[in-house]
Amino acid sequence: QLVLTQSPSASASLGASVKLTCTLSSGHSSYAIAWHQQQPEKGPRYLMKLNSDGSHSKGDGIPDRFSGSSSGAERYLTISSLQSEDEADYYCQTWGTAWVFGGGTKLTVL
Amino acid sequence: EVQLVESGGGLVKPGGSLRLSCAASGFTFSSYSMNWVRQAPGKGLEWVSSISSSSSYIYYADSVKGRFTISRDNAKNSLYLQMNSLRAEDTAVYYCATRRVDTFYWGQGTLVTVSS
């Protein structure tokens, strides 16, 4: 069974960088994922699709501060030069006959 | 510009029914599968159901199987979710969403509250 695991919370200072992790369950390390951002009281916003080789394609208007990378079953979202509006929940997701979401990481910008 | 606009949410009693709609524009609706995703208050995202472009393939989460029915009308560029036998745990914001090539699109959501 495909499961995506995310840490519940992360924090980093304004202007710093942070790396969020999404781990694919055993046997699924070749899967691509998508990252979505959900700011407080808003709907999800697509950030990027991230392949197992680390290549990624971002959604329209997503700043260069957002980047993705991969290592084995781990998928990463790195946000550099953190801004206050980056404080949000971040979800990873895969898709097939069903969509599977990670539990989300709540990012706090200090 | 792709737009997905949900409607039909509201307050309903346990055991009641509700029909959600999603109006799509800005893309060839009939070419893409569509999904419903929900988010209970303070919780994460949960996939609910998907339907293929021609309605040939339909899938449900176990939590809603037998109670919810997804459908679409390609002539009207619309997606629907018929929700029956509603329970308190179905209380959530319901989003329609789709994947088009390598991009995902989300609606703004509609709130369904199941309470007596």
Side-chain angles (χ1 to χ4, degrees):
Chain A
Q1 182 183 351
L2 176 57
V3 175
L4 302 178
T5 302
Q6 299 181 252
S7 296
S9 63
S11 61
S13 300
L14 200 63
S17 294
V18 68
K19 191 175 189 179
L20 307 183
T21 304
C22 174
T23 303
L24 290 148
S25 52
S26 178
H28 301 95
S29 61
S30 66
Y31 280 47
I33 69 154
W35 283 105
H36 304 277
Q37 176 196 61
Q38 188 175 32
Q39 294 172 320
E41 306 307 317
K42 290 191 174 181
R45 174 195 185 194
Y46 168 71
L47 293 177
M48 69 179 69
K49 177 195 172 189
L50 175 59
N51 296 314
S52 59
D53 63 359
S55 60
H56 55 279
S57 56
K58 290 193 284 189
D60 292 342
I62 303 303
D64 292 341
R65 304 186 294 106
F66 290 82
S67 63
S69 58
S70 297
S71 176
E74 312 262 290
R75 305 287 180 265
Y76 306 107
L77 173 68
T78 299
I79 312 171
S80 58
S81 303
L82 274 167
Q83 301 182 5
S84 58
E85 60 262 34
D86 298 331
E87 186 160 289
D89 294 324
Y90 291 85
Y91 294 92
C92 59
Q93 177 223 350
T94 66
W95 58 93
T97 55
W99 286 9
V100 178
F101 292 93
T105 296
K106 185 176 190 64
L107 174 63
T108 300
V109 179
L110 304 171
Chain B
E1 179 194 2
V2 172
Q3 282 200 318
L4 300 171
V5 180
E6 302 93 336
S7 60
L11 175 63
V12 61
K13 289 181 167 54
S17 298
L18 211 55
R19 188 195 196 208
L20 305 183
S21 299
C22 172
S25 61
F27 67 108
T28 307
F29 178 77
S30 59
S31 296
Y32 296 95
S33 63
M34 296 294 297
N35 291 261
W36 287 100
V37 175
R38 69 183 180 183
Q39 186 172 36
K43 303 296 185 183
L45 299 171
E46 178 192 16
W47 171 80
V48 172
S49 181
S50 67
I51 184 169
S52 63
S53 57
S54 61
S55 304
S56 297
Y57 301 97
I58 288 175
Y59 303 96
Y60 297 99
D62 287 343
S63 57
V64 306
K65 204 172 291 183
R67 300 186 299 122
F68 289 12
T69 302
I70 191 172
S71 63
R72 65 191 294 161
D73 185 336
N74 288 341
K76 294 183 178 179
N77 289 346
S78 293
L79 174 72
Y80 306 102
L81 186 67
Q82 177 66 43
M83 303 186 295
N84 298 331
S85 303
L86 281 161
R87 307 167 180 167
E89 54 265 36
D90 296 318
T91 294
V93 175
Y94 285 73
Y95 298 99
C96 72
T98 188
R99 182 175 72 95
R100 179 169 165 258
V101 191
D102 279 348
T103 302
F104 289 79
Y105 298 93
W106 296 85
Q108 86 290 346
T110 187
L111 175 63
V112 172
T113 303
V114 184
S115 175
S116 54

